[in-house]
């Protein structure tokens, strides 16, 4: 059953990706979906070079990478912490490095209100998101002509909200914007 559930999840994700790409193309937008580890600088550079060769320089970056592995801080392992933290932070570092010579007009980071308010079991996730907020402020100062924002999202029903979180508190859709 676990294997079947995993395969079903992958199939549904692929269906959603195809649907989104089809909807974008149906509205006249050219789109490409590339699945890579954003923290893998070489793979990221290769992917962006293929985009540049077809469409020209990168003009906007939207960084939405993230994983959640909730546990109380005393129960977190170093590997677990690094997985959560590095996905956002090292991924952002790789993106900024790979687009350093592109004429960026927009840098948008998907952060979380957990960076400021905290959530039970999310110390690593909160820290990673606060790094995004601080980097957004620095990049906004460094790139005064670019739109730079770190969007501090609250939890949303389809994805981050586990049954446990739903039972802990009433989910309120709100967000904060830094940058």
């Amino acid at each position: 059953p676990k294997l079947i559930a995993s395969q079903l999840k992958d199939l549904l994700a692929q269906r959603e990706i195809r649907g989104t790409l089809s909807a974008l193309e149906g509205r006249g937008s050219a789109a490409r979906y590339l699945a890579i580890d954003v923290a893998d600088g070489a793979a990221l550079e290769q992917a962006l070079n293929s985009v540049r060769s077809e469409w020209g320089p990168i003009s906007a970056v939207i960084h939405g990478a993230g994983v959640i592995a909730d546990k109380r801080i005393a129960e977190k392992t170093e590997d677990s912490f690094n997985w959560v933290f590095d996905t956002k932070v090292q991924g952002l570092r790789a993106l900024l490095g790979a687009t350093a010579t592109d004429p960026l007009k927009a840098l948008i980071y998907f952060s979380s209100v957990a960076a400021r308010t905290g959530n039970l079991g999310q110390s690593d996730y909160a820290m990673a998101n606060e790094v995004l907020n601080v980097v957004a402020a620095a990049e906004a100062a460094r790139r005064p002509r670019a739109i730079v924002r770190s969007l501090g999202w609250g939890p949303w029903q389809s994805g981050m909200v586990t049954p446990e979180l739903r039972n802990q508190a009433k989910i309120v859709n709100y967000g904060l914007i830094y940058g």
Side-chain angles (χ1 to χ4, degrees), residues 47-65:
L48 292 180
N49 282 339
S50 73
V51 171
R52 287 183 190 103
S53 70
E54 187 174 339
W55 292 329
I58 307 297
S59 60
V61 170
I62 301 172
H63 179 49

Side-chain angles (χ1 to χ4, degrees), residues 138-152:
E139 288 294 319
R142 193 169 84 78
R143 303 171 188 264
R145 295 191 173 151
I147 296 168
V148 182
R149 301 289 184 269
S150 185
L151 307 175

